[in-house]
Amino acid sequence: MFRELINIVDGIGTLYGLKKHKESEELHLFKAKYNNKDKCEADPKSICTKMRQGDAAGKDKFSCKNEDEARMECAREGRAVCGNCVIRLYTTYPD
């Protein structure tokens, strides 16, 4: 909770992680947050809902990056990143 408050105060907002699917090798974005032990934890499903954490292969490409950092990292990875995840990363929803 303390880390989440720091994220809000610092204006970091939503954090993301990027994981590789063990079968398709496609990269998927997951919303993430710091737990009370200051460790980054991803949501159970990717933001496109097509991948679960249990389908991940190896180490995460990145974890707990803010939106701008996640966009840059996904651009570096290129076509390997799930298109639906990228669309959701760039979509702004009204309040």
Side-chain angles (χ1 to χ4, degrees):
M1 171 137 174
F2 179 71
R3 184 68 167 158
E4 287 179 31
L5 291 173
I6 290 172
N7 291 342
I8 293 167
V9 170
D10 288 345
I12 292 173
T14 304
L15 299 174
Y16 296 92
L18 189 66
K19 299 176 180 288
K20 181 186 277 190
H21 193 282
K22 63 184 171 189
E23 292 176 9
S24 69
E25 296 190 2
E26 187 172 46
L27 300 171
H28 289 267
L29 282 164
F30 288 74
K31 285 189 178 180
K33 62 185 174 191
Y34 285 100
N35 66 15
N36 59 357
K37 295 181 177 138
D38 210 26
K39 182 180 178 199
C40 188
E41 289 184 346
D43 284 355
K45 284 189 172 181
S46 62
I47 62 175
C48 72
T49 70
K50 302 287 186 195
M51 181 180 162
R52 298 177 201 272
Q53 268 199 46
D55 297 330
K59 189 177 175 186
D60 296 352
K61 288 287 189 171
F62 65 77
S63 58
C64 280
K65 299 271 187 182
N66 68 36
E67 191 173 291
D68 290 336
E69 293 169 323
R71 287 177 176 174
M72 293 298 292
E73 292 290 334
C74 287
R76 284 187 194 99
E77 293 293 338
R79 291 180 175 261
V81 181
C82 167
N84 288 320
C85 285
V86 172
I87 287 168
R88 283 167 177 76
L89 181 62
Y90 280 88
T91 302
T92 306
Y93 297 97
D95 292 338

